Amino acid sequence: DETFVADPDTPQATNPILFVTQVPIPGDFTSIASVFGNHRTDMDSVGRGGDLWIRYPNGNRKNLTAAAGYGVASGFQGATSIAVREPSVHWDGQKALFSMVIGAPSARYQTADYVWQIYEISGLGKDERVSINRISGQPAAYNNISPIYGTDDRILFTSDRPRGGEAHLYPQLDEYESMPTVTGIWSLDPGNSELKLLTHTVSGAFSPTIDSYGRLIFTRWD
């Protein structure tokens, strides 16, 4: 844990805050912080390093991914390095979803394929043991990002899996820049691995969330 001494005049949070740290990427075209095409995993698009953290109301912070044995604390970010993104807390506050990519080249001229996958974390309490598990049933060969819990505990997310799963049609390209894009919003039942495509969006759907009436809200590139 790390201890942070706050300014006494600064309003204090009353609930824990889940957040990620990321390596800055100078370019802003189909990289991790871009408006679209931000699901790519090459080294130019998302640097390895950074973690999933939680900040408790008293100012203490815990590196959750490190506590569960993921990532490289410092130095060269090679085969076991990670990048994380978009944590989303369950309705009961006891667990959360997030996307993580694991691995990077460990030598010059080395190439490999890496994908964002969805993980679930539990043990968020200060003195609880952290547990991180990959969600089964998700498309294993594709990038799955922006996960959230549905009102029925299905997992909603975006993915760059082609609509019908045809590998020869991968990657799908957007209509504006002809760059790789996610294909829409998908729904997964983690209990029986039932996968559904809720909305096929040929130039990408982004940032799904559930409003107070249980409706799915998202943005898309038309």
Side-chain angles (χ1 to χ4, degrees):
D1 292 359
E2 295 186 1
T3 300
F4 171 74
V5 180
D7 185 330
D9 296 326
T10 301
Q12 299 300 299
T14 57
N15 296 298
I17 299 173
L18 202 63
F19 67 98
V20 302
T21 54
Q22 292 178 344
V23 175
I25 297 294
D28 188 29
F29 183 72
T30 64
S31 60
I32 183 65
S34 300
V35 174
F36 61 92
N38 57 44
H39 64 290
R40 306 173 72 192
T41 59
D42 58 275
M43 298 301 105
D44 291 335
S45 298
V46 54
R48 303 303 190 262
D51 288 281
L52 178 65
W53 290 76
I54 190 168
R55 181 192 184 277
Y56 299 103
N58 65 0
N60 288 352
R61 295 173 296 199
K62 181 188 289 186
N63 185 329
L64 296 170
T65 38
Y70 289 90
V72 179
S74 61
F76 182 74
Q77 301 291 307
T80 60
S81 62
I82 64 172
V84 296
R85 61 187 292 166
E86 299 169 303
S88 179
V89 181
H90 188 266
W91 309 102
D92 65 10
Q94 301 303 305
K95 57 185 179 180
L97 297 169
F98 68 101
S99 290
M100 177 165 62
V101 58
I102 301 176
S106 57
R108 192 178 184 187
Y109 304 128
Q110 187 181 83
T111 60
D113 294 325
Y114 309 99
V115 290
W116 290 103
Q117 294 283 278
I118 301 169
Y119 293 80
E120 186 172 63
I121 182 170
S122 57
L124 300 176
K126 186 177 185 302
D127 298 317
E128 293 181 321
R129 181 177 179 180
V130 178
S131 176
I132 294 177
N133 296 290
R134 179 184 171 276
I135 296 294
S136 62
Q138 65 182 298
Y142 301 102
N143 293 295
N144 309 317
I145 60 172
S146 306
I148 61 173
Y149 292 101
T151 54
D152 57 357
D153 273 357
R154 291 183 71 96
I155 295 173
L156 309 178
F157 62 99
T158 65
S159 176
D160 63 354
R161 178 186 187 269
R163 178 176 61 178
E166 306 91 339
H168 66 282
L169 297 180
Y170 182 82
Q172 298 278 279
L173 305 179
D174 73 72
E175 299 170 287
Y176 177 50
E177 295 284 356
S178 296
M179 294 299 291
T181 184
V182 293
T183 56
I185 297 177
W186 298 74
S187 172
L188 173 68
D189 185 335
N192 59 20
S193 299
E194 180 190 41
L195 183 68
K196 296 179 180 179
L197 177 58
L198 298 185
T199 171
H200 180 227
T201 312
V202 293
S203 286
F206 313 98
S207 305
T209 187
I210 302 290
D211 77 357
S212 60
Y213 290 92
R215 297 173 299 190
L216 178 62
I217 308 297
F218 62 96
T219 59
R220 71 180 185 183
W221 183 258
D222 280 329

